[in-house]
């Protein structure tokens, strides 16, 4: 322990790395972020930010700016894969704000990244180092050295691996991992709203559920775009990547027999990408000495609770609170962070896997069985028990 505040190095300028950087800079810590990409760019996909996430973004002072480029979905509905019958799940507009104090936003990822990066640069203009691929680290003598491509290194007092699902920092800490293929792939695309028929352009989030698959779509970017994610059980695709393209024909085949509105989305997407959904058991620990992990680097999750990015934002804020509480003791601050985040992140990873079984249940094949199943599984009481604990989490008052 010494008496000066630590200099924190962060590997990865994604949603989690930038959230952590912002919350730390706002508390007066010295921070540098190392990002492999030569330009700060996010994949052109959507992300849902539930009130626990928007509450954290408000606490970082960036919610208002993000709201200007995003959409507040008025409601969420479930639709039957074949008949299109619709069940209203919950009001995500006025009622979400009344109940949770903060909106449920649907956001284009580049808008979120740009908002976070601008806020980081306002705090420290040269905090983000682009074209800096992290390849490993060493720690000794009370310092952490982040090793960068090309033989450079950065030296600080603590290192946070926020370098995503294929994290080099996690690999250097714990060795190569072996995820299990979940048996599902995710198709994604972004459809220009102007190309969709009027009944599909409402500001609602929609979740189509069917046997062996589900489809989620919601508006983005001031309502100019519609995000499409189609998840289907399929055993022949194992690449986990944001950038692997697939064809409209292949996606159409995966959703054969589904409602015409689903096919309108597939036809309307200028490009379609496919991502193999890998399952990973929650990790028991993720800190060694002065090095820790954050976001997908530590707890990648199936997307069925739409909480991966939100967890990364929460992680960043809680990490900063722990450093603020123990400003001169890295080991205690990181132990605080690990303790504060263990149960919640574990419950989300396990809950997401359980939701996959719920969304793809064989009972959904037949319209009559499906109605009974949906009335039971998406009753107000069932929804409250599945989501209330997620949405009410407050990064400002959560125990650390
Ligand atoms: C189909 C799908 C839908 C989803 N929908 C939602 C949703 O609705 N809501 C939600 O909350 N979550 C959702 N998620 C999850 C969410 O996308 C992730 O959990 C989130 O992006 C994690 O953020 P992160 O910052 O930890 O990692 P990332 O976003 O992956 O960022 C990691 C960063 O590190 C950089 N990097 C990687 N390696 C290195 C290196 N060696 N050196 C330097 N930099 C490096 C990368 O370039 C990137 O900038 C979804 C995921 C998928 C696949």
């Amino acid at each position: 322990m010494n008496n000066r505040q630590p200099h924190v190095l962060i590997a990865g300028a994604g949603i989690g790395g930038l959230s952590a950087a912002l919350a730390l800079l706002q508390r007066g810590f010295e921070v540098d972020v190392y990002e492999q990409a030569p330009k700060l760019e996010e994949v052109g996909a959507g992300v849902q930010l539930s009130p626990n996430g928007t509450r954290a973004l408000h606490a970082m002072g960036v919610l208002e700016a993000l709201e200007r480029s995003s959409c507040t979905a008025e409601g969420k509905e479930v639709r039957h894969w074949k008949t299109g019958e619709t069940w209203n799940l919950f009001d995500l507009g006025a009622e979400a704000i009344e109940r949770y104090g903060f909106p449920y936003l649907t956001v284009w990822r580049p808008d979120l990244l740009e908002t976070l990066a601008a806020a980081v640069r306002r705090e420290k203009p040269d905090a983000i180092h682009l074209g800096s691929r992290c390849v490993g680290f060493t720690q000794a003598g009370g310092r952490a050295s982040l090793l960068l491509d090309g033989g450079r290194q950065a030296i600080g007092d603590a290192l946070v691996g926020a370098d995503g699902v294929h994290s080099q920092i996690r690999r250097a800490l714990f060795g190569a991992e072996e995820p299990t293929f979940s048996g599902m792939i995710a198709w994604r695309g972004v459809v220009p709203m102007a190309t969709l028929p009027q009944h599909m352009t409402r500001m609602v989030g929609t979740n189509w559920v069917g046997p062996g698959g589900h489809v989620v779509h919601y508006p983005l970017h001031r309502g100019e775009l519609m995000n499409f994610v189609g998840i289907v059980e399929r055993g022949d695709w194992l690449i986990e990547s944001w950038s692997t393209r697939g064809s409209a024909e292949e996606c159409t085949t995966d959703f054969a027999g589904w409602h015409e509105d689903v096919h309108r989305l597939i036809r309307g997407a200028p490009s379609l990408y496919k991502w193999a959904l890998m399952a990973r058991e929650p990790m028991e620990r993720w800190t060694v000495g002065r090095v820790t992990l954050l976001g997908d680097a530590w707890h990648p999750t199936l997307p069925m609770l739409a909480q991966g990015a939100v967890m990364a934002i929460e992680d960043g804020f809680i990490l900063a609170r722990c450093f603020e509480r123990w400003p001169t003791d890295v080991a205690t601050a990181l132990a605080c962070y690990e303790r504060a985040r263990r149960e919640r992140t574990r419950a989300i990873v396990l809950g997401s896997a359980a939701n996959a079984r719920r969304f793809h249940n064989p009972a959904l094949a037949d319209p009559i069985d499906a109605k009974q199943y949906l009335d039971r599984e998406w009753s107000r009481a069932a929804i409250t028990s599945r989501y209330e604990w997620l949405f009410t989490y407050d990064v400002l008052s959560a125990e650390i």
Side-chain angles (χ1 to χ4, degrees):
M1 186 149 93
N2 63 35
N3 289 325
R4 101 190 140 69
Q5 287 210 342
H7 173 196
V8 183
L9 309 176
I10 300 178
I15 295 165
L18 290 182
S19 298
L22 180 57
L24 283 161
L25 286 165
Q26 288 172 334
R27 282 160 184 74
F29 291 91
E30 179 65 10
V31 178
D32 283 284
V33 188
Y34 296 88
E35 165 61 43
Q36 65 180 358
K39 230 168 102 190
L40 257 197
E41 257 177 353
E42 252 298 351
V43 283
V47 64
Q48 307 182 62
L49 298 179
S50 50
N52 45 320
T54 54
R55 188 179 292 117
L57 293 170
H58 174 75
M60 293 186 236
V62 293
L63 180 60
E64 239 179 74
L66 187 63
E67 279 181 303
R68 285 196 286 276
S69 58
S70 308
C71 297
T72 310
E74 288 154 13
K76 190 157 210 166
E77 33 185 61
V78 170
R79 298 190 69 184
H80 185 260
W81 67 289
K82 198 177 177 75
T83 64
E85 190 176 347
T86 304
W87 288 259
N88 288 322
L89 273 196
F90 32 59
D91 179 326
L92 292 177
E95 197 180 309
I97 294 176
E98 199 178 303
R99 200 173 172 100
Y100 305 112
F102 290 92
Y104 194 110
L105 291 188
T106 55
V107 180
W108 198 40
R109 292 175 71 109
D111 290 337
L112 176 57
L113 206 75
E114 203 177 296
T115 304
L116 287 169
V120 166
R121 286 174 170 145
R122 274 195 298 278
E123 296 288 334
K124 181 178 172 189
D126 60 352
I128 306 171
H129 306 268
L130 298 171
S132 301
R133 201 167 79 80
C134 308
V135 293
F137 68 86
T138 59
Q139 51 177 335
R143 310 299 308 268
S145 296
L146 176 60
L147 310 176
L148 302 168
D149 213 7
R152 289 177 299 144
Q153 58 176 305
I155 299 177
D157 300 294
L159 167 64
V160 180
D163 49 343
V165 68
H166 302 296
S167 171
Q168 290 299 319
I169 305 299
R170 183 184 58 217
R171 175 185 278 263
L173 279 173
F174 301 113
E177 44 131 38
E178 285 182 18
T180 318
F181 177 50
S182 68
M184 293 176 282
I185 75 158
W187 283 98
R188 30 169 221 92
V190 174
V191 185
M193 195 69 92
T195 63
L196 291 172
Q198 206 182 352
H199 76 274
M200 293 185 70
T201 60
R202 292 171 310 127
M203 294 293 111
V204 295
T206 304
N207 192 353
W208 296 80
V209 289
H214 76 280
V215 169
V216 177
H217 60 89
Y218 47 83
L220 306 172
H221 201 53
R222 296 179 289 270
E224 292 166 25
L225 304 170
M226 180 68 89
N227 194 52
F228 162 79
V229 178
I231 294 183
V232 66
E233 290 172 12
R234 222 181 98 170
D236 62 340
W237 182 256
L238 298 176
I239 299 173
E240 192 179 31
S241 149
W242 283 109
S243 55
T244 308
R245 284 186 188 232
S247 70
E249 294 70 37
E250 188 186 349
C251 187
T252 302
T253 307
D254 277 351
F255 290 95
W258 285 58
H259 192 274
E260 172 59 14
D261 284 354
V262 170
H263 287 279
R264 285 192 169 104
L265 291 163
I266 296 171
R267 286 196 300 273
S271 322
L272 285 159
Y273 298 86
K274 50 185 184 174
W275 167 301
L277 291 173
M278 295 296 189
R280 295 166 173 89
E281 286 295 311
M283 290 165 67
E284 288 306 316
R285 55 192 292 245
W286 49 95
T287 302
V288 176
R290 299 175 165 267
V291 182
T292 194
L293 300 173
L294 181 150
D296 274 10
W298 153 32
H299 43 62
T301 177
L302 294 174
M304 282 68 174
L305 278 175
Q307 289 291 311
V310 172
M311 269 195 288
I313 296 168
E314 290 178 356
D315 283 350
F317 198 91
I318 296 290
L319 178 75
R321 275 186 61 206
C322 292
F323 271 114
E324 185 178 37
R325 182 157 170 200
W326 282 283
T328 57
D329 183 350
V330 169
T332 306
L334 295 186
C336 159
Y337 163 66
E338 197 172 289
R339 198 174 48 246
R341 298 295 295 157
R342 176 181 283 114
E343 280 316 310
R344 180 170 174 83
T345 54
R346 180 182 173 80
I348 291 173
V349 171
L350 298 176
S352 298
N355 245 9
R357 293 188 288 278
R358 183 171 292 112
F359 286 178
H360 299 185
N361 200 287
L364 292 160
D366 174 77
I368 295 172
D369 292 349
K371 181 167 168 28
Q372 286 169 357
Y373 181 77
L374 283 163
D375 286 346
R376 187 178 70 241
E377 289 296 324
W378 275 273
S379 67
R380 173 60 84 163
I383 291 169
T384 303
S385 83
R386 285 209 293 278
Y387 293 96
E388 194 80 352
W389 66 280
L390 290 170
F391 295 178
T392 50
Y393 183 83
D394 186 345
V395 285
L396 282 169
S397 59
E399 199 179 327
I400 61 169

